[in-house]
Amino acid sequence: MQLLIINGPNLNLLGKREKSIYGDASFEEFFKTLKSTFETIDFKYYQSNIEGELIDKLHETGFSYDGIIMNAGAYTHTSIGIGDAIAGIETPVIEVHISNVYAREEYRHLSLMAKNCIGVIAGMGLNSYHLAVQHFLSLK
Ligand code: DQA
C-alpha cells in the first residue's frame, strides 16, 4: 500500500511553531515513528508552502497512490483550487488537522476541501495522521 502525506504552509515549522497549539515534536521525528509502526506501508511525505505546488503534487500522485492524508494548513480554509484538485483525482484523501479547528477562530471552521475528502480528522495532535493511516489500512 502506497500512502502519501502532504503538509501545507507553515507545517515545516512543527516543533518550533506555536508549541502550545501544535506541540513540540517535528514532523520528521513523528514520520520516523509512523514508518516504523506501519512497516508494510510504503510512505511518501511532501511539504510545501506554495498552493500551486500542493495542487501539482495531488495531480502527480492522485491516480496511482492508494491514499493521501492531507493537512493543507491555512489553505484548508481558503483554497478552492486544492478542493477542486481533490475532486479531480481518483485517490481518496483524508483531511487532517493537528488542532481542533472547531474550537478556534471562526475562519478555521470552514473547509473548502472537506466535501471532496472521504473524511476529516481534527484535534488529535499528530495522532490525527496515525488515525488516518489506520483508516486506509481498514479499507484493504
Ligand atoms: C492546522 C489548522 C489550520 O487552521 C492552520 O492554519 C494550520 C494548521 C492544524 O493542523 O491544526 O496551519 O491545519
Side-chain angles (χ1 to χ4, degrees):
M1 174 185 269
Q2 222 181 3
L3 292 185
L4 172 68
I5 298 178
I6 303 181
N7 274 341
N10 301 309
L11 292 162
N12 53 311
L13 294 183
L14 281 179
K16 297 182 186 143
R17 166 196 189 200
E18 297 179 276
K19 292 184 189 178
S20 61
I21 300 174
Y22 299 114
D24 53 15
S26 71
F27 196 81
E28 287 67 23
E29 284 165 41
F30 168 75
F31 190 50
K32 262 190 221 151
T33 315
L34 192 71
K35 283 194 288 193
S36 62
T37 309
F38 297 101
E39 279 181 335
T40 58
I41 298 179
D42 176 9
F43 281 109
K44 296 281 182 296
Y45 173 55
Y46 181 75
Q47 191 278 329
S48 174
N49 295 317
I50 300 168
E51 186 177 10
E53 288 184 355
L54 296 167
I55 293 171
D56 283 345
K57 186 53 80 175
L58 287 165
H59 294 176
E60 186 188 310
T61 55
F63 295 88
S64 54
Y65 278 63
D66 299 298
I68 297 173
I69 297 165
M70 183 162 192
N71 184 347
Y75 288 143
T76 306
H77 319 298
T78 61
S79 177
I80 296 171
I82 289 175
D84 283 354
I86 294 170
I89 61 175
E90 285 170 2
T91 298
V93 177
I94 299 179
E95 174 182 332
V96 299
H97 298 284
I98 296 163
S99 65
N100 179 358
V101 284
Y102 301 101
R104 301 181 63 195
E105 298 93 336
E106 207 172 324
Y107 59 80
R108 295 185 204 276
H109 300 180
L110 173 70
S111 166
L112 297 179
M113 54 189 277
K115 80 174 178 58
N116 300 322
C117 294
I118 58 168
V120 179
I121 302 170
M124 309 293 169
L126 287 169
N127 199 34
S128 293
Y129 296 86
H130 187 111
L131 293 168
V133 174
Q134 280 181 325
H135 183 70
F136 277 125
L137 268 182
S138 77
L139 298 178
K140 274 275 153 181

